[in-house]
Amino acid sequence: MNNQSSSGHVKSMDMESDDTSLPNMAETSDRACLTKKKKKKRRRVTVTVGTTGGSERLAGLIELLRSMDDVVKSVNFREIPYNVRDMDQVEFDDMEVFILCHSITNRRLSITDVQDALYDNLLQRACRKLGKKNVIIIAYDLDELQPNDLEIRLNAFRIQQPTACRKSSAVVFAGQCASSPPELPEDQQNKLCSSLQKATQKCCAIL
């Protein structure tokens, strides 16, 4: 009788021990799940910056992009041919996000649709290959960078050169981009950051 009682008592204690371990197991599982979520990093993108005239004209902009390391993994430079007929040489197979930078110093703000437009075909190919959200346009070397002046100019640009807006996720206006920091108004920099964040969201290119 004593043996049976002792055995029964031990069994009861074991059951109590098992019951109390269940909440502990659940807490451990929850902590592991939370830890896994915390360790999951935001997807970052490789950015290719292109312009005519050499990378030194964009040195400050490139440095700024590299500082956005929460969304930008690396920044490369691609020389854009000066002549329109040679721009078909630019390939997009090795690109993830393409930022087309155009200086208005010698060539005015002639990106698409207008007389002497430079990038109609280039942007068409970039958009088809990479997807609209992975193409950004920066027009730089502008003199007037006040918000009202930029808004007026951007509204006129949307009307006169709609293809540029349709084939890119954003059109950004800037001053000189050689020195650090570049002359990039706060609202324009926010627009650039927002477009890069959207580019981190994976989706298929437009076919």
Side-chain angles (χ1 to χ4, degrees):
M1 291 290 292
N2 290 339
N3 290 341
Q4 290 177 355
S5 175
S6 175
S7 174
H9 179 65
V10 171
K11 184 175 181 180
S12 175
M13 290 180 64
D14 289 341
M15 290 177 66
E16 289 176 4
S17 176
D18 289 342
D19 290 340
T20 57
S21 69
L22 290 176
N24 292 335
M25 291 174 63
E27 290 174 7
T28 302
S29 177
D30 289 343
R31 284 196 299 269
C33 183
L34 288 172
T35 301
K36 186 175 181 181
K37 288 180 179 179
K38 287 180 180 178
K39 288 183 177 179
K40 187 176 180 181
K41 295 182 179 180
R42 180 201 294 266
R43 177 177 174 267
R44 299 188 299 162
V45 292
T46 298
V47 176
T48 300
V49 179
T51 196
T52 60
S55 61
E56 64 278 359
R57 303 184 69 180
L58 301 176
L61 174 65
I62 291 172
E63 184 177 341
L64 174 65
L65 290 168
R66 285 175 175 158
S67 73
M68 300 178 184
D69 53 4
D70 57 331
V71 292
V72 176
K73 181 165 58 177
S74 62
V75 182
N76 304 315
F77 176 77
R78 183 67 52 86
E79 183 81 26
I80 303 296
Y82 192 82
N83 296 318
V84 176
R85 64 177 177 272
D86 296 326
M87 289 185 186
D88 287 343
Q89 298 173 8
V90 179
E91 298 292 341
F92 302 98
D93 292 337
D94 60 343
M95 295 187 192
E96 189 171 9
V97 174
F98 175 52
I99 301 181
L100 172 63
C101 297
H102 169 74
S103 171
I104 70 165
T105 301
N106 297 321
R107 313 186 80 174
R108 300 180 293 108
L109 189 57
S110 51
I111 294 177
T112 62
D113 301 305
V114 296
Q115 185 177 1
D116 299 324
L118 300 167
Y119 309 109
D120 288 286
N121 292 335
L122 183 73
L123 285 171
Q124 178 70 31
R125 293 193 300 113
C127 183
R128 185 184 302 117
K129 185 68 178 182
L130 305 176
K132 173 180 177 176
K133 75 180 185 65
N134 293 325
V135 179
I136 299 169
I137 298 170
I138 297 180
Y140 66 103
D141 286 335
L142 277 74
D143 293 327
E144 298 296 333
L145 297 175
Q146 295 302 315
N148 290 341
D149 295 327
L150 289 179
E151 189 62 28
I152 291 171
R153 193 159 194 172
L154 183 56
N155 287 336
F157 182 85
R158 291 191 185 105
I159 295 170
Q160 296 166 4
Q161 304 188 47
T163 300
C165 300
R166 289 199 302 267
K167 301 300 179 182
S168 66
S169 64
V171 177
V172 176
F173 287 164
Q176 66 81 28
C177 292
S179 62
S180 182
E183 293 179 353
L184 193 60
E186 183 178 0
D187 63 327
Q188 300 300 297
Q189 183 168 326
N190 290 341
K191 189 193 300 186
L192 175 61
C193 292
S194 176
S195 294
L196 289 171
Q197 288 171 351
K198 290 176 182 177
T200 65
Q201 302 168 10
K202 188 73 173 178
C203 78
C204 297
I206 300 172
L207 299 177

